[in-house]
Amino acid sequence: MTTAGDIMHPGAQWIPAHETLDRAAQLMRTLNVGALPISDENERLCGILTDRDIVVGCVAMGHDPSKVTAGDMAKGTPRWIDAQADVGEVLEEMQSHQIRRLPVIDNKRLVGMISEADLAKHLSEDQIATWVESVYAKS
């Protein structure tokens, strides 16, 4: 059985909700990622921040990224998957919520992220085609 832990990109890092978006952008550059899970003061997932969120939701709206926090951008119910979950559960979670990145949690700790690139590396062409159709066709 292939699990979320098998296909994830390990070493994901939180951005605390109180950190500003300019700091988040710097961290994304350093880590070479396009998204960061947002954590509250107890290191619980409270959202996902993407590079697009920073550009479209802050900069393009005329806001100062040095004054807007990651927590200000957190919206909705954050989705995640357990590291031991089967890849079928990963696909179902991502498809049913039309999400492109999924934090992986093990024993209440962030251990990785699953992105489109991770799916492309580890899944069959049929699985990828079904995922793409369900996530992108409906958006």
Side-chain angles (χ1 to χ4, degrees):
M1 169 179 87
T2 303
T3 66
D6 295 330
I7 67 170
M8 73 179 186
H9 180 83
Q13 191 170 331
W14 297 111
I15 186 80
H18 64 82
E19 285 286 356
T20 58
L21 298 186
D22 61 339
R23 176 66 187 117
Q26 293 164 359
L27 185 57
M28 286 179 187
R29 180 188 62 215
T30 299
L31 298 173
N32 193 31
V33 298
L36 295 168
I38 304 169
S39 70
D40 66 11
E41 64 278 353
N42 297 314
E43 288 198 351
R44 289 182 307 198
L45 182 66
C46 62
I48 300 280
L49 179 67
T50 67
D51 47 7
R52 186 175 195 282
D53 293 332
I54 295 170
V55 172
V56 174
C58 178
V59 177
M61 299 297 289
H63 302 295
D64 182 349
S66 69
K67 295 188 174 20
V68 178
T69 67
D72 293 335
M73 301 299 287
K75 297 178 185 81
T77 302
R79 310 306 308 180
W80 57 274
I81 197 83
D82 187 271
Q84 299 308 313
D86 179 79
V87 72
E89 294 173 68
V90 170
L91 292 173
E92 173 59 29
E93 184 70 16
M94 294 175 86
Q95 289 169 324
S96 65
H97 298 285
Q98 291 187 281
I99 55 177
R100 296 168 178 88
R101 297 172 178 100
L102 187 63
V104 180
I105 307 292
D106 190 25
N107 292 320
K108 299 183 181 181
R109 306 296 297 173
L110 177 69
V111 294
M113 287 278 277
I114 297 173
S115 69
E116 296 161 300
D118 299 312
L119 296 178
K121 286 182 208 170
H122 297 283
L123 301 180
S124 71
E125 286 183 23
D126 288 341
Q127 287 173 307
I128 292 292
T130 301
W131 182 84
V132 166
E133 183 178 335
S134 66
V135 171
Y136 285 100
K138 297 176 185 173
S139 54

